[in-house]
Amino acid sequence: MEMFKAILRESVSRTLILLSRTNKRHKYLVLVTGMHRSGTSAVAGTLRILGVDFGRKLLGPSYDNEKGFVEDIDFLALNERILKYFGSTWYNPTDLDFKAVIKRFSPRLTYLLFRRFLHRDMYGIKEPRISILMPLYLHCATALGIDVKCIVTKRPRKEIIASIRKRNSFLKESDIDQLIQRYYESIKICTKDIETCEIKFVDLLYKTDMVVRRLNQFLPFLNEYHAKEKELKEYLDPKLRHNVILE
């Protein structure tokens, strides 16, 4: 039975890939990556205001993220499922065999991406676990003929550690420090052949117009700052920058 399901998943995946490639319109997948608590939600929220579609099935706000996570719950659920299947977690990631990951989970991710791009030319996904699952996402997007653009969110290391410790007190500072290194090393290795743009969380809050100009250069189809200035100022409230640590 499991073998039959695997064959069926692979058959459906190949069909979707063929269907996708018959559409000659240029398509872009915008991935917002970075360590948990590094400002990925703020970056994704900004991109959403500027015109990037992140979908409708988004994870809502919580006590530790008042503006909302801007995470498509289908991709979040898949990422958690992948890590669990291989005995891993976001805070204790194991060394994954991506040949096995792709074989087992590329049909599902291919299906999700195909559905999101069925009536769109651009789609954004923000979910920090993608930072350590990047080979799978690049594989599926490439198979579907979708160009990937990656935005990497940065925040002072001490602030990330303090923010994670506040939410996940069972994690030691030294463990979080190693996690940060692991996430960003994974991003660096996996994005060496694709277009990337690094955004600093602090700059986004205090130099918003400058950051938006950089994003306009990276993604020319976005709205410009002056067109969305009021919305951006309401959304990017510097008071939401908790755990400020001056170095």
Side-chain angles (χ1 to χ4, degrees), residues 145-171:
I146 299 168
D147 286 342
V148 177
K149 288 179 173 283
C150 183
I151 294 176
V152 185
T153 307
K154 293 289 187 73
R155 184 180 184 182
R157 184 175 291 250
K158 290 182 179 179
E159 289 191 9
I160 294 176
I161 292 173
S163 185
I164 292 178
R165 284 277 297 155
K166 186 176 180 179
R167 188 184 69 178
N168 306 105
S169 58
F170 63 91
L171 291 172

Side-chain angles (χ1 to χ4, degrees), residues 74-110:
D74 286 340
F75 291 100
L76 170 60
L78 176 61
N79 293 343
E80 290 182 330
R81 182 180 163 200
I82 293 169
L83 292 177
K84 185 177 180 180
Y85 184 86
F86 288 98
S88 187
T89 63
W90 72 265
Y91 56 84
N92 187 23
T94 57
D95 290 326
L96 296 175
D97 175 0
F98 275 100
K99 286 185 178 180
V101 174
I102 289 169
K103 183 177 180 179
R104 179 65 181 82
F105 289 102
S106 63
R108 175 60 179 165
L109 180 55
T110 298

Side-chain angles (χ1 to χ4, degrees), residues 17 20-21 27-31 106 109-110 113-114 117 125 134-149 194:
I17 288 168
S20 179
R21 287 187 172 276
K27 298 187 175 186
Y28 296 96
L29 173 62
V30 180
L31 295 178
S106 63
L109 180 55
T110 298
L113 289 174
F114 179 82
F117 280 93
I125 305 176
M134 189 77 74
L136 173 64
Y137 276 78
L138 297 181
H139 171 86
C140 294
T142 300
L144 289 168
I146 299 168
D147 286 342
V148 177
K149 288 179 173 283
I194 66 173

